[in-house]
């Protein structure tokens, strides 16, 4: 189910899943655990539509609200599936280097509070490697039309083919849809399959910077 879109979009359905992946038990165990707790994560792939705002950071971009939400996803997975089961199994990918640094700092703080460590890297940094669970922070959000190098087809293909068991996309659906035809196709197909979830919750309070949980 995870590989259906990139296989059709980029490989003309000529790329086959390995038989080893078909025999995997991790994904089945994870989805079973999530089905009794956080049902929005009880699926091999899901798109969380988060209305947020990108921010310029030097020559790069960050999205603080997406970073907060990524941490909430990791916590939800851990609460349902367990620390040891998720150790070395989760990766966070984002196209922008400053977002990598921002999420890494958030994860470091969360780890000090008992959260499972999570590897965070750019799309290019994850090329040639896989994780059981991949969470993708798109960053581009709010007003605007273009989505920069998020629209790079090669990077999109790499991001979509890194997960073995679960792919979670966090994005501003309206922004990515109008920014690129491939992303529009992905979001539209996911919407038809009931895989797009509108996020409810404010995440970051104004003024004091304290976090509040989203409703997953």
């Amino acid at each position: 189910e995870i590989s259906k879109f990139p296989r059709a979009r980029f490989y003309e359905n000529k790329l086959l899943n390995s038989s080893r992946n078909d025999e995997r038990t991790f994904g089945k165990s994870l989805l079973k655990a999530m089905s009794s707790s956080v049902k929005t994560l009880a699926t091999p792939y899901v798109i969380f539509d988060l209305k947020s705002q990108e921010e310029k950071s030097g020559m790069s971009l960050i999205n603080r609200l997406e970073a907060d939400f990524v941490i909430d996803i990791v916590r939800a997975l851990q609460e349902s599936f367990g620390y040891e089961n998720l150790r070395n199994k989760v990766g966070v990918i984002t196209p922008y280097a400053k977002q990598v640094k921002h999420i890494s700092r958030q994860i470091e703080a969360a780890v000090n509070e008992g959260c499972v460590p999570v590897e965070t890297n750019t799309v290019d940094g994850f090329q040639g490697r896989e994780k059981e669970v991949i969470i993708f922070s798109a960053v581009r959000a709010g007003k605007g039309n273009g989505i920069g190098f998020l629209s790079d087809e090669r990077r999109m293909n790499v991001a979509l083919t890194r997960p073995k068991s679960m792919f979670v996309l966090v994005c501003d659906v309206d922004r990515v849809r109008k920014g690129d035809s491939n992303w529009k196709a992905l979001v539209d197909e996911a919407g038809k399959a009931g895989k797009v979830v509108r996020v409810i919750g404010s995440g970051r309070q104004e003024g004091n910077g304290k976090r509040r949980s989203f409703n997953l």
Side-chain angles (χ1 to χ4, degrees):
E1 191 172 0
I2 300 172
S3 63
K4 181 181 177 181
F5 180 86
R7 194 168 65 239
R9 193 79 178 182
F10 304 124
Y11 299 103
E12 298 179 339
N13 289 314
K14 295 178 181 178
L15 184 67
L16 301 177
N17 291 332
S18 70
S19 58
R20 183 176 63 88
N21 283 344
D22 293 338
E23 297 167 0
R24 300 188 61 83
T25 59
F26 178 93
K28 292 179 180 179
S29 298
L30 174 61
L31 297 183
K32 182 178 180 180
M34 301 314 297
S35 66
S36 60
S37 53
V38 185
K39 295 188 183 301
T40 53
L41 287 171
T43 177
Y45 81 98
V46 62
I47 298 176
F48 285 107
D49 181 15
L50 176 64
K51 299 310 175 188
S52 59
Q53 181 62 54
E54 65 189 53
E55 300 175 35
K56 190 77 173 176
S57 180
M59 298 298 291
S60 189
L61 293 170
I62 63 173
N63 188 315
R64 300 178 192 277
L65 211 57
E66 282 193 9
D68 288 348
F69 189 59
V70 165
I71 301 302
D72 279 5
I73 292 170
V74 174
R75 289 186 184 280
L77 290 169
Q78 179 178 333
E79 287 171 6
S80 298
F81 200 52
Y83 184 101
E84 290 300 327
N85 288 332
L86 285 178
R87 183 193 287 271
N88 300 321
K89 298 293 196 301
V90 182
V92 176
I93 298 178
T94 181
Y96 293 91
K98 286 296 179 68
Q99 183 75 343
V100 170
K101 291 182 179 179
H102 183 67
I103 293 177
S104 295
R105 287 194 295 268
Q106 298 281 80
I107 290 174
E108 184 177 348
V111 167
N112 291 333
E113 298 174 354
C115 184
V116 65
V118 174
E119 181 180 356
T120 307
N121 213 327
T122 61
V123 177
D124 293 340
F126 252 100
Q127 189 163 3
R129 301 169 54 235
E130 296 177 319
K131 289 284 186 181
E132 293 288 350
V133 179
I134 289 292
I135 305 169
F136 186 90
S137 169
V139 178
R140 304 309 296 259
K143 295 180 180 179
N145 294 312
I147 56 173
F149 58 75
L150 180 61
S151 63
D152 183 277
E153 185 176 294
R154 181 190 62 80
R155 287 191 174 98
M156 182 183 189
N157 183 27
V158 169
L160 294 175
T161 54
R162 296 311 91 195
K164 297 179 181 179
S165 299
M166 178 184 289
F167 179 71
V168 181
L169 169 61
V170 182
C171 69
D172 179 339
V173 163
D174 290 338
R175 179 68 180 274
V176 300
R177 280 188 81 257
K178 66 182 179 181
D180 177 72
S181 60
N182 284 323
W183 284 102
K184 181 180 185 300
L186 174 67
V187 169
D188 288 349
E189 183 176 300
K192 292 176 182 177
K195 303 292 187 180
V196 177
V197 178
R198 180 71 182 271
V199 179
I200 300 173
S202 57
R204 182 176 296 275
Q205 294 177 338
E206 293 294 332
N208 58 19
K210 292 183 179 179
R211 293 190 58 247
R212 289 187 297 191
S213 294
F214 298 88
N215 292 323
L216 285 166

mmCIF file of all heavy atoms in Angstrom, residues 1 32 36 67 80 95 127 130 144-145 155 165 178 186 192 204 216:
data_model
loop_
_atom_site.group_PDB
_atom_site.id
_atom_site.type_symbol
_atom_site.label_atom_id
_atom_site.label_comp_id
_atom_site.label_asym_id
_atom_site.label_seq_id
_atom_site.Cartn_x
_atom_site.Cartn_y
_atom_site.Cartn_z
ATOM 1 N N GLU A 1 0.824 -1.205 0.000
ATOM 2 C CA GLU A 1 0.000 0.000 0.000
ATOM 3 C C GLU A 1 0.861 1.259 0.000
ATOM 4 O O GLU A 1 0.551 2.245 -0.649
ATOM 5 C CB GLU A 1 -0.937 0.001 1.210
ATOM 6 C CG GLU A 1 -2.007 1.076 1.144
ATOM 7 C CD GLU A 1 -3.038 0.936 2.240
ATOM 8 O OE1 GLU A 1 -2.920 -0.003 3.059
ATOM 9 O OE2 GLU A 1 -3.947 1.770 2.289
ATOM 10 N N LYS A 32 -1.737 -3.149 14.349
ATOM 11 C CA LYS A 32 -2.658 -3.743 15.319
ATOM 12 C C LYS A 32 -2.643 -2.943 16.619
ATOM 13 O O LYS A 32 -3.699 -2.673 17.218
ATOM 14 C CB LYS A 32 -2.262 -5.198 15.598
ATOM 15 C CG LYS A 32 -3.196 -5.901 16.565
ATOM 16 C CD LYS A 32 -2.782 -7.351 16.769
ATOM 17 C CE LYS A 32 -3.722 -8.058 17.746
ATOM 18 N NZ LYS A 32 -3.317 -9.477 17.950
ATOM 19 N N SER A 36 -6.069 -0.019 18.266
ATOM 20 C CA SER A 36 -6.769 -0.007 19.542
ATOM 21 C C SER A 36 -6.502 1.268 20.333
ATOM 22 O O SER A 36 -6.932 1.397 21.465
ATOM 23 C CB SER A 36 -6.351 -1.218 20.380
ATOM 24 O OG SER A 36 -4.962 -1.195 20.638
ATOM 25 N N ALA A 67 6.957 20.778 13.297
ATOM 26 C CA ALA A 67 7.918 20.123 14.190
ATOM 27 C C ALA A 67 7.235 19.651 15.470
ATOM 28 O O ALA A 67 7.460 18.530 15.936
ATOM 29 C CB ALA A 67 9.065 21.078 14.522
ATOM 30 N N SER A 80 1.657 3.603 22.227
ATOM 31 C CA SER A 80 0.870 2.441 21.815
ATOM 32 C C SER A 80 1.709 1.203 21.534
ATOM 33 O O SER A 80 1.264 0.082 21.749
ATOM 34 C CB SER A 80 0.056 2.796 20.565
ATOM 35 O OG SER A 80 -0.847 3.845 20.819
ATOM 36 N N PRO A 95 12.744 18.326 3.699
ATOM 37 C CA PRO A 95 13.603 18.824 2.619
ATOM 38 C C PRO A 95 14.584 19.908 3.042
ATOM 39 O O PRO A 95 15.546 20.170 2.330
ATOM 40 C CB PRO A 95 12.595 19.403 1.605
ATOM 41 C CG PRO A 95 11.255 18.953 2.042
ATOM 42 C CD PRO A 95 11.338 18.703 3.500
ATOM 43 N N GLN A 127 18.823 9.015 1.378
ATOM 44 C CA GLN A 127 18.842 8.249 0.131
ATOM 45 C C GLN A 127 19.654 6.967 0.304
ATOM 46 O O GLN A 127 20.735 6.966 0.879
ATOM 47 C CB GLN A 127 19.435 9.085 -1.007
ATOM 48 C CG GLN A 127 19.294 8.439 -2.373
ATOM 49 C CD GLN A 127 19.504 9.433 -3.499
ATOM 50 O OE1 GLN A 127 19.810 10.582 -3.274
ATOM 51 N NE2 GLN A 127 19.331 8.975 -4.728
ATOM 52 N N GLU A 130 16.563 2.979 4.662
ATOM 53 C CA GLU A 130 15.140 2.816 4.972
ATOM 54 C C GLU A 130 14.931 2.784 6.480
ATOM 55 O O GLU A 130 15.862 2.550 7.242
ATOM 56 C CB GLU A 130 14.610 1.499 4.378
ATOM 57 C CG GLU A 130 14.637 1.416 2.874
ATOM 58 C CD GLU A 130 14.178 0.057 2.374
ATOM 59 O OE1 GLU A 130 14.575 -0.968 2.989
ATOM 60 O OE2 GLU A 130 13.427 -0.002 1.401
ATOM 61 N N GLY A 144 1.102 31.614 -0.420
ATOM 62 C CA GLY A 144 2.113 31.384 -1.444
ATOM 63 C C GLY A 144 1.649 30.322 -2.416
ATOM 64 O O GLY A 144 0.692 29.596 -2.153
ATOM 65 N N ASN A 145 2.331 30.229 -3.526
ATOM 66 C CA ASN A 145 1.957 29.261 -4.553
ATOM 67 C C ASN A 145 3.019 28.189 -4.772
ATOM 68 O O ASN A 145 2.719 27.015 -4.844
ATOM 69 C CB ASN A 145 1.681 29.990 -5.869
ATOM 70 C CG ASN A 145 0.474 30.895 -5.796
ATOM 71 O OD1 ASN A 145 -0.572 30.473 -5.319
ATOM 72 N ND2 ASN A 145 0.603 32.135 -6.241
ATOM 73 N N ARG A 155 13.544 13.852 -5.370
ATOM 74 C CA ARG A 155 13.456 13.891 -3.909
ATOM 75 C C ARG A 155 12.129 13.326 -3.411
ATOM 76 O O ARG A 155 12.075 12.649 -2.386
ATOM 77 C CB ARG A 155 13.650 15.326 -3.410
ATOM 78 C CG ARG A 155 15.082 15.832 -3.496
ATOM 79 C CD ARG A 155 15.234 17.140 -2.753
ATOM 80 N NE ARG A 155 16.630 17.572 -2.691
ATOM 81 C CZ ARG A 155 17.166 18.463 -3.512
ATOM 82 N NH1 ARG A 155 16.433 19.005 -4.467
ATOM 83 N NH2 ARG A 155 18.423 18.818 -3.386
ATOM 84 N N SER A 165 7.165 0.082 6.626
ATOM 85 C CA SER A 165 5.873 -0.295 7.192
ATOM 86 C C SER A 165 4.864 0.833 7.281
ATOM 87 O O SER A 165 3.667 0.584 7.210
ATOM 88 C CB SER A 165 6.071 -0.880 8.603
ATOM 89 O OG SER A 165 6.868 -2.036 8.562
ATOM 90 N N LYS A 178 -1.439 22.872 -4.806
ATOM 91 C CA LYS A 178 -1.342 23.884 -5.860
ATOM 92 C C LYS A 178 0.102 24.169 -6.271
ATOM 93 O O LYS A 178 0.341 24.884 -7.242
ATOM 94 C CB LYS A 178 -2.023 25.183 -5.432
ATOM 95 C CG LYS A 178 -1.378 25.925 -4.279
ATOM 96 C CD LYS A 178 -2.201 27.168 -3.939
ATOM 97 C CE LYS A 178 -1.591 27.942 -2.769
ATOM 98 N NZ LYS A 178 -2.397 29.125 -2.413
ATOM 99 N N LEU A 186 -0.727 12.859 -5.462
ATOM 100 C CA LEU A 186 -0.591 12.071 -4.229
ATOM 101 C C LEU A 186 -1.703 12.399 -3.238
ATOM 102 O O LEU A 186 -2.359 11.503 -2.704
ATOM 103 C CB LEU A 186 0.769 12.334 -3.587
ATOM 104 C CG LEU A 186 0.996 11.679 -2.220
ATOM 105 C CD1 LEU A 186 1.044 10.165 -2.339
ATOM 106 C CD2 LEU A 186 2.279 12.203 -1.577
ATOM 107 N N LYS A 192 -9.170 10.332 -1.824
ATOM 108 C CA LYS A 192 -10.171 9.390 -2.307
ATOM 109 C C LYS A 192 -10.160 8.094 -1.487
ATOM 110 O O LYS A 192 -11.195 7.441 -1.344
ATOM 111 C CB LYS A 192 -9.924 9.075 -3.786
ATOM 112 C CG LYS A 192 -10.183 10.248 -4.716
ATOM 113 C CD LYS A 192 -9.833 9.891 -6.149
ATOM 114 C CE LYS A 192 -10.037 11.080 -7.092
ATOM 115 N NZ LYS A 192 -9.623 10.756 -8.483
ATOM 116 N N ARG A 204 1.102 25.243 19.462
ATOM 117 C CA ARG A 204 1.969 26.192 20.156
ATOM 118 C C ARG A 204 1.157 27.392 20.619
ATOM 119 O O ARG A 204 0.507 28.064 19.826
ATOM 120 C CB ARG A 204 3.086 26.656 19.220
ATOM 121 C CG ARG A 204 4.064 27.612 19.867
ATOM 122 C CD ARG A 204 5.192 27.937 18.906
ATOM 123 N NE ARG A 204 5.979 26.761 18.598
ATOM 124 C CZ ARG A 204 6.990 26.330 19.350
ATOM 125 N NH1 ARG A 204 7.307 26.961 20.454
ATOM 126 N NH2 ARG A 204 7.672 25.254 19.013
ATOM 127 N N LEU A 216 -4.824 13.737 17.688
ATOM 128 C CA LEU A 216 -4.540 12.763 16.636
ATOM 129 C C LEU A 216 -5.752 11.867 16.420
ATOM 130 O O LEU A 216 -5.862 11.212 15.415
ATOM 131 C CB LEU A 216 -3.327 11.908 17.011
ATOM 132 C CG LEU A 216 -1.965 12.588 16.886
ATOM 133 C CD1 LEU A 216 -0.911 11.767 17.602
ATOM 134 C CD2 LEU A 216 -1.601 12.766 15.429
#
